[in-house]
Amino acid sequence: MDRGETVSAIGHALSLAGSMTWEILWALILGFFLSAVVQAVIRKSTIVRLMGDDRPRTLALSSVLGAASSSCSYAAVALARALFRKGANFTAAMAFEIGSTNLVVELGVILALLLGWQFTAAEFVGGPIMIVILAVLFRLFVRSKLVDAARAQADRGLAGSMEGHAAMDMSVSGDGSFLRRLASRKGVTAVAHVFVMEWAAIARDLVIGLLIAGAIGAWVPESFWQNFFLTDHPLLAALWGPIIGPLVAIASFVCSIGNVPLAAVLWNGGISFGGVIAFLYADLLILPILNIYRKYYGPKMAAVLLGTFYLSMVLAGYAVEIIFGTTSLIPHHRNAMVMDSGVSWNYTTWLNIAFLTLAAVLVVRFVRTGGRSMLAMMGGSPEAEHSGHHRSSGPEGHDEHHHH
């Protein structure tokens, strides 16, 4: 390949990544805004109180609370550990973790945009199935001795880069209705802070995810994927998809929202419907996160999490394939949004302008209310970590320690 061809190949990959970014930008901002609103007015102490055991009702509630919280896999994993350390049941903490990466609004919106509403529906049907399977596997294989060892390890407090972010309780104290707290000065500031912190947490993974999807979309020929996903044998393809989907995800290193563009590329390439869903769930098993589990809970529990999560993802993928196959809801055409075209004046452009304006307002508020120091704290530096445990300085510097 000569230099000109190399430049053109890189250009093609970057233009694909850029087009995808433009398509999903407003949806991302909307999702993170809604997530920030919820986190700003629901207290972490409330969440812990509701997650004390592993009864079905508690697990359902944990996954809903997760869905209402974060969206980056790294933040979700750190947050689940924080809840576990504060007394949440381990299974409930894992249900929360799954909810907060796989059942969040922004993921649903972007799936609908890039792949179609059927994938959003499948994500939300398969998620609870995965949590049920995981709870059963935990009952069978996770002994209380293992959980105690994991809790001892978690209490050592090894910091990850998302530690500061997960440890902060950004919720606004005070009485009054949800809307009144939200509209107050503290409320607006808290929303701005959570919004920017969430973006800071996910930006790197999102960029990497889009670049990987662009590169694979531009450089890997369709024929490779069709052979790899056994598209000539529909039954084998349906069996193979959920087994291979998570393995592709583990190798691709990309966080929750970041792997939707890659899912679009894989779907166009011929992976089964259930395979796409299993692939999307596996953002909780990527190599960096497996390493975090090892640090958080010890190598034994990390191995158990790898095995149980993987099995529950595969089985949830099969369940989705069967449910959507028998109801004829699996799309027949593989034309997920992996655009070659550039930017054009359409509703996407108007939505992007509107939501970029909202984002700009929130960023200005963040900077004006001392947000820079919080970003430094989120970097997980030892001093910041130390001060973060004593006093999670919430919006406008008021001490939030009293309602942890």
Side-chain angles (χ1 to χ4, degrees):
M1 207 189 211
D2 66 25
R3 195 167 163 197
E5 282 174 342
T6 308
V7 169
S8 129
I10 291 171
H12 183 36
L14 288 174
S15 81
L16 273 185
S19 305
M20 276 190 227
T21 308
W22 184 249
E23 232 10 79
I24 64 177
L25 190 59
W26 69 270
L28 272 173
I29 295 172
L30 169 64
F32 281 112
F33 174 67
L34 294 174
S35 168
V37 166
V38 171
Q39 290 183 71
V41 287
I42 294 180
R43 299 184 186 95
K44 201 180 278 182
S45 52
T46 313
I47 292 179
V48 174
R49 195 179 69 242
L50 299 170
M51 290 171 56
D53 54 54
D54 64 351
R55 291 185 314 213
R57 184 167 168 265
T58 308
L59 295 184
L61 193 62
S62 300
S63 43
V64 169
L65 289 167
S69 74
S70 187
S71 50
C72 168
S73 327
Y74 293 97
V77 169
L79 198 51
R81 188 196 68 155
L83 295 170
F84 176 53
R85 283 177 72 182
K86 287 183 179 176
N89 173 281
F90 188 72
T91 310
M94 292 303 112
F96 176 94
E97 186 178 293
I98 294 168
S100 80
T101 49
N102 294 310
L103 301 174
V104 286
V105 180
E106 53 268 46
L107 188 65
V109 174
I110 287 161
L111 274 173
L113 270 181
L114 289 184
L115 284 144
W117 64 268
Q118 297 94 330
F119 288 87
T120 303
E123 180 82 10
F124 287 102
V125 167
I129 293 173
M130 179 179 161
I131 290 168
V132 169
I133 295 168
L134 192 70
V136 172
L137 291 172
F138 277 6
R139 284 266 168 109
L140 292 173
F141 299 112
V142 178
R143 299 279 165 264
S144 55
K145 207 165 91 179
L146 186 59
V147 176
D148 294 341
R151 196 181 292 278
Q153 177 68 18
D155 283 337
R156 288 184 187 154
L158 299 171
S161 67
M162 289 316 307
E163 210 48 37
H165 181 41
M168 290 178 210
D169 187 349
M170 303 282 290
S171 59
V172 181
S173 53
D175 303 317
S177 66
F178 181 93
L179 286 173
R180 183 172 298 173
R181 273 186 298 172
L182 188 60
S184 68
R185 280 192 57 191
K186 281 178 183 170
V188 175
T189 302
V191 169
H193 279 240
V194 179
F195 178 81
V196 177
M197 307 297 271
E198 290 273 287
W199 271 103
I202 201 177
R204 186 183 58 190
D205 286 287
L206 189 62
V207 170
I208 292 170
L210 287 157
L211 291 174
I212 288 174
I216 291 175
W219 302 339
V220 180
E222 295 265 298
S223 56
F224 168 82
W225 290 124
Q226 284 160 1
N227 293 330
F228 187 65
F229 295 131
L230 312 176
T231 46
D232 294 342
H233 311 278
L235 180 63
L236 278 178
L239 287 171
W240 177 235
I243 291 172
I244 196 65
L247 299 177
V248 174
I250 289 170
S252 71
F253 277 59
V254 184
C255 171
S256 59
I257 307 282
N259 67 12
V260 179
L262 185 51
V265 173
L266 298 179
W267 172 246
N268 287 351
I271 193 173
S272 70
F273 187 74
V276 172
I277 299 303
F279 166 81
L280 288 167
Y281 293 152
D283 56 335
L284 287 172
L285 286 184
I286 58 175
L287 294 171
I289 282 184
L290 287 172
N291 190 39
I292 291 172
Y293 289 146
R294 183 184 62 77
K295 285 186 193 162
Y296 277 5
Y297 307 121
K300 240 184 189 163
M301 184 60 102
V304 168
L305 288 176
L306 171 61
T308 51
F309 270 57
Y310 177 72
L311 189 55
S312 56
M313 283 159 194
V314 173
L315 294 175
Y318 286 145
V320 161
E321 184 79 41
I322 292 164
I323 293 165
F324 282 70
T326 50
T327 49
S328 306
L329 284 175
I330 296 178
H332 296 302
H333 303 293
R334 293 180 178 268
N335 48 5
M337 181 92 73
V338 181
M339 293 89 45
D340 279 312
S341 65
V343 175
S344 56
W345 272 106
N346 54 14
Y347 78 97
T348 304
T349 306
W350 288 111
L351 285 167
N352 279 343
I353 290 170
F355 280 99
L356 281 167
T357 307
L358 169 68
V361 169
L362 292 171
V363 169
V364 167
R365 181 66 175 234
F366 174 81
V367 171
R368 284 192 174 161
T369 50
R372 287 199 190 100
S373 60
M374 292 182 77
L375 275 180
M377 196 179 130
M378 188 174 136
S381 65
E383 317 84 79
E385 188 55 36
H386 185 66
S387 64
H389 279 309
H390 287 301
R391 193 181 97 104
S392 172
S393 163
E396 302 194 347
H398 66 288
D399 190 340
E400 300 232 324
H401 198 252
H402 57 268
H403 69 247
H404 263 328

